[in-house]
Amino acid sequence: MVPAARLRVPVVDLGDGTALLTDRYELTMLQAALRSGTADRRAVFEVFARSLPNGRRYGVVAGTGRLLDAIEAFRFEAAELDFLLSNGVVDETTAQWLEKYRFSGNVWGYAEGDCYFPGSPILVVEGTFGEAVLLETLVLSVLNHDSAIASAASRMVQAAQGRPLIEMGSRRTHEHAAVAAARAAHIAGFATTSNLEAGRRYGVPTAGTSAHAFTLLHDSERHAFEAQLASLGADTTLLVDTYDVERAVRTGVELAGPSLGGVRLDSGDLGALARSVREQLDALGATGTRIVVTGDLDEYGIAALAAAPVDGYGVGTALVTGSGAPTASLVYKLVARADRPGEDAPLRPVAKRSPGKPSRGGRKTAVRRFDGHGVARAETITTGEPDPGPHDRVLQVPLVRNGEIVGREPLAAARERHARSVAELPAAAVRLSRGEPAVPTEFVDGGARP
């Protein structure tokens, strides 16, 4: 593994730490386990989804890089311990244990940007029960949000058929969720974001010009366009639907000349408007001027504009809310544990048997099976060592080894991986119609290939 410093991967400063970004019952379980003498037993937890959101054919793993930063910052300092003790959340013995807390275990997972399917063990956490159980809420909070956003964004990217997309949902979600959403959308293929913090923190390219308020501020639309062009140059994008679209387009080209960068449409029948605006621009000699459309778009709205002369899309609300699936419904389940403390204690499978929510015991590995043409045909999950064929790919990679973060990588690597992962799926995977997961999940006891 190349050291993070050589890869120039940013380590995000999370300020006051992440230890209290958790549910109280993680700490009450820890306290009870310390009293019973079971907190130091080896344990394996897995993160997976029992199903995909209705109609989805694949999911996208996102948030891994953020999670690694959050695990590194998971520390109980004096302020956190004072809060826990003064509010009776934990006792003195537990507080003393938490004061020394550093995750010292191992984490494996699907590489960020890869696709997943029902049952895919996208994250495996191994350590003592005490140190691993404390990470449950944080792991699920990060991965559920970012994977939901990336999964929706990927569908939008496929619907756009190569046309660029701008993420612009910051005003439709929590201010910190907006930054995470911009990052996740970029992994899935969005070209830019309107969110400047995502640009500063993660290097996501930023874009943005003006809103209707800027036009309304000025005495006329012409004055507004003149001001924008004087500030940003002729390559800027003018918002042309504040008053009359046809007049605004004519004014914009008159002021900027045929080299006007773009016009944006934010309301009305976007397909019909785009066609009429394209005709007008071409007639005015502005054949290279781009048409960008925004306004409550989702993957279905984008797909409906496939035949329209649109050069790019801006997506906000639907993107940052997962386009109807705001969570990936991932769970964090104990699948194996030792009967006594000690690294040499053997692990044995454990599983829930609750009706409707069963789990499968045993630490698992995952292999994606491919046919001779490089098309994914099955996700094989096994409780033994992986046994890949000549065309297959082992899916889990090391992320944390003995407490040390080893899985950091540039955001561009996750973005490139996602493009490759989607390209490996069967053609039906990118359809927006309802259907089964694009790749079936097969569970096999032991490591033998089916």
Side-chain angles (χ1 to χ4, degrees):
M1 177 64 67
V2 180
R6 288 177 56 191
L7 289 174
R8 297 184 179 178
V9 181
V11 178
V12 177
D13 181 3
L14 295 175
D16 294 333
T18 59
L20 295 188
L21 299 176
T22 191
D23 290 315
R24 178 166 175 160
Y25 84 158
E26 312 291 13
L27 297 180
T28 59
M29 283 192 287
L30 169 66
Q31 180 169 300
L34 287 171
R35 288 190 179 185
S36 69
T38 56
D40 290 334
R41 290 182 177 182
R42 289 174 62 209
V44 178
F45 288 85
E46 288 179 354
V47 176
F48 61 92
R50 293 187 176 92
S51 62
L52 299 176
N54 192 24
R56 301 283 176 91
R57 303 193 181 203
Y58 64 92
V60 180
V61 177
T64 309
R66 291 205 312 119
L67 177 60
L68 295 178
D69 291 333
I71 291 174
E72 193 166 64
F74 200 90
R75 303 283 187 270
F76 292 86
E77 306 292 351
E80 288 86 357
L81 293 171
D82 179 66
F83 168 80
L84 296 175
L85 287 168
S86 63
N87 286 276
V89 177
V90 299
D91 59 21
E92 284 286 351
T93 300
T94 305
Q96 291 172 13
W97 190 95
L98 292 172
E99 187 176 16
K100 301 174 184 177
Y101 180 88
R102 300 291 186 273
F103 181 74
S104 63
N106 301 300
V107 181
W108 301 265
Y110 282 36
E112 191 164 22
D114 210 344
C115 296
Y116 71 88
F117 304 94
S120 296
I122 67 172
L123 199 78
V124 177
V125 180
E126 181 175 347
T128 66
F129 175 83
E131 64 180 358
V133 76
L134 288 184
L135 297 180
E136 176 185 11
T137 300
L138 182 65
V139 167
L140 292 179
S141 178
V142 173
L143 295 185
N144 264 316
H145 175 269
D146 289 25
S147 296
I149 303 304
S151 297
S154 181
R155 283 161 59 87
M156 295 172 187
V157 169
Q158 297 307 311
Q161 299 180 9
R163 297 168 176 172
L165 293 105
I166 307 166
E167 185 283 313
M168 47 195 304
S170 294
R171 64 192 63 189
R172 303 297 189 218
T173 189
H174 186 278
E175 62 270 23
H176 296 300
V179 181
R183 180 185 182 279
H186 189 63
I187 288 172
F190 271 59
T192 56
T193 178
S194 66
N195 189 285
L196 290 177
E197 181 60 20
R200 183 187 73 87
R201 188 179 300 182
Y202 299 116
V204 180
T206 62
T209 51
S210 68
H212 291 104
F214 184 77
T215 301
L216 295 170
L217 167 70
H218 291 80
D219 295 335
S220 70
E221 193 168 53
R222 173 178 289 272
H223 289 156
F225 287 176
E226 286 175 339
Q228 184 173 328
L229 290 164
S231 175
L232 301 178
D235 194 45
T236 191
T237 298
L238 299 175
L239 180 58
V240 295
D241 68 343
T242 305
Y243 304 117
D244 179 84
V245 172
E246 183 178 353
R247 184 179 65 183
V249 170
R250 185 170 59 252
T251 301
V253 175
E254 179 186 331
L255 294 172
S259 61
L260 174 63
V263 296
R264 177 162 75 96
L265 301 169
D266 189 54
S267 57
D269 185 333
L270 296 176
L273 276 174
R275 284 186 283 272
S276 65
V277 168
R278 181 75 272 157
E279 291 176 2
Q280 184 182 7
L281 288 169
D282 291 347
L284 293 170
T287 56
T289 300
R290 302 176 300 275
I291 298 175
V292 178
V293 297
T294 58
D296 293 326
L297 290 173
D298 60 11
E299 61 265 48
Y300 300 102
I302 293 168
L305 292 167
V310 173
D311 299 290
Y313 307 90
V315 188
T317 303
L319 188 279
V320 298
T321 57
S323 196
T327 175
S329 298
L330 301 172
V331 295
Y332 185 96
K333 296 301 177 185
L334 182 68
V335 295
R337 56 94 167 170
D339 289 328
R340 57 177 173 79
E343 293 186 3
D344 61 336
L347 292 166
R348 67 180 182 87
V350 294
K352 278 181 61 176
R353 307 208 184 279
S354 307
K357 290 187 176 182
S359 59
R360 294 174 181 268
R363 187 202 185 285
K364 303 170 196 69
T365 56
V367 173
R368 189 158 298 158
R369 308 290 184 188
F370 295 88
D371 64 19
H373 302 286
V375 178
R377 292 304 180 199
E379 193 100 332
T380 301
I381 314 300
T382 176
T383 52
E385 290 298 317
D387 181 24
H391 303 294
D392 302 337
R393 177 159 59 90
V394 176
L395 294 166
Q396 292 155 327
V397 299
L399 299 173
V400 180
R401 184 180 295 121
N402 298 324
E404 179 185 356
I405 307 296
V406 297
R408 282 197 178 97
E409 62 180 4
L411 192 63
R415 180 178 169 88
E416 293 165 5
R417 180 180 298 112
H418 178 65
R420 293 194 305 270
S421 184
V422 173
E424 294 170 346
L425 301 181
V430 299
R431 294 175 186 165
L432 297 181
S433 58
R434 295 183 183 275
E436 296 298 316
V439 173
T441 305
E442 305 170 339
F443 290 91
V444 179
D445 290 328
R449 256 186 293 145

